[in-house]
Every structure is written in structure tokens, then in C-alpha cells.
Amino acid sequence: MKKCSGLSTGRTEFLCSKIWQLISLIYDKQNDEADYINKAVSMINSEYMSNISVQSIADRIGLERTYFSDLFKKKIGISPKQFLLKTRMEQAAVFIRDYGYSVSVTALSVGYSDVYTFSKMFKQYFGISPSKY
């Protein structure tokens, strides 16, 4: 704006170009945010069976954990921790229901090394134990 006040001609064009630059920066920021979230969702969907955490996802996409969690919740509607749990539990249900996996095999298959913790999380999520499911 200061530079524009010193111009005798082309002021309107200069201001328009700066406004378009600003709009472009805002648009690029929104695209970057979507890219971060898409990468995170992809990581969760492909690595839910491993020892993945919100911190490790944030580290890998280059964001601070709290900022990442806030951004994820804003874009997806639930926290990354809830999304990871949802992904694991829904896949666990498929393993038990469709493939007849035992509780211990299912727990290991969806990223839980402790069957007790898995059973507790499954019961919280579905309202029944995995063995009754």
C-alpha cells in the first residue's frame, strides 16, 4: 500500500495484483492443509496395524502435534486419535465377523500387542466384547 501511494500511474493495477497475490496465498494455504490431512488419512489407513501414533504421524508430515490434531479435527470432524481408533475397530470387526479371526490374532492384526487392551477398546467402541461379537 505504501508503494502504491508513491505511484502516479498504474495504482489500480498494482493494487489488483497485490489482492490476487493475497488470494493466491490463502488458497495455497487451504490446499496445503488438505494435503496434510490427506497424507495423514492415507498413513492411518495403510499403517493402522503397526505401532502408529498421532505424534509419529505429525512428525512424518512435518507439523507440530497440537496444530496437526486441531487441523485434522477441523477438516475430518474427529481427532486423529479417534480416527485411528475407528479405523482399527472397524477393521477388527471385519476380521472377526467375516474371517473368523480369534481375538488374539485380531488384536495383533490391528496394531494391539496386548489382547486385554484391545478387548477393552473394542468393548468401549462396540458395546460388546470381541468374543461375543
Side-chain angles (χ1 to χ4, degrees):
M1 294 299 192
K2 286 182 180 181
K3 190 174 182 180
C4 180
S5 66
L7 295 175
S8 58
T9 59
R11 291 165 85 166
T12 303
E13 292 79 8
F14 179 80
L15 284 175
C16 285
S17 73
K18 293 301 174 187
I19 290 171
W20 282 113
Q21 283 179 340
L22 178 61
I23 291 170
S24 174
L25 288 171
I26 292 169
Y27 181 75
D28 286 345
K29 184 177 187 285
Q30 290 172 342
N31 283 343
D32 289 345
E33 290 176 350
D35 287 345
Y36 288 132
I37 300 311
N38 289 337
K39 286 178 187 175
V41 167
S42 179
M43 277 185 226
I44 291 170
N45 286 333
S46 63
E47 300 177 35
Y48 66 86
M49 70 293 294
S50 66
N51 190 20
I52 191 171
S53 67
V54 174
Q55 183 65 56
S56 67
I57 296 167
D59 290 344
R60 286 173 54 193
I61 62 175
L63 295 177
E64 191 273 325
R65 189 192 151 295
T66 305
Y67 175 73
F68 164 66
S69 291
D70 292 344
L71 183 62
F72 192 97
K73 187 168 185 173
K74 184 176 96 176
K75 298 286 184 185
I76 301 295
I78 59 175
S79 71
K81 185 176 180 178
Q82 291 170 320
F83 187 84
L84 177 58
L85 176 67
K86 176 181 178 284
T87 302
R88 284 178 167 161
M89 291 300 115
E90 289 176 359
Q91 191 59 50
V94 169
F95 288 154
I96 293 169
R97 182 186 62 238
D98 297 348
Y99 299 108
Y101 284 14
S102 68
V103 175
S104 58
V105 170
T106 300
L108 291 172
S109 299
V110 296
Y112 287 91
S113 57
D114 180 29
V115 176
Y116 175 75
T117 303
F118 167 73
S119 294
K120 181 180 166 184
M121 299 305 291
F122 191 95
K123 187 169 185 176
Q124 281 180 344
Y125 191 82
F126 287 107
I128 61 172
S129 69
S131 56
K132 287 183 181 178
Y133 186 85

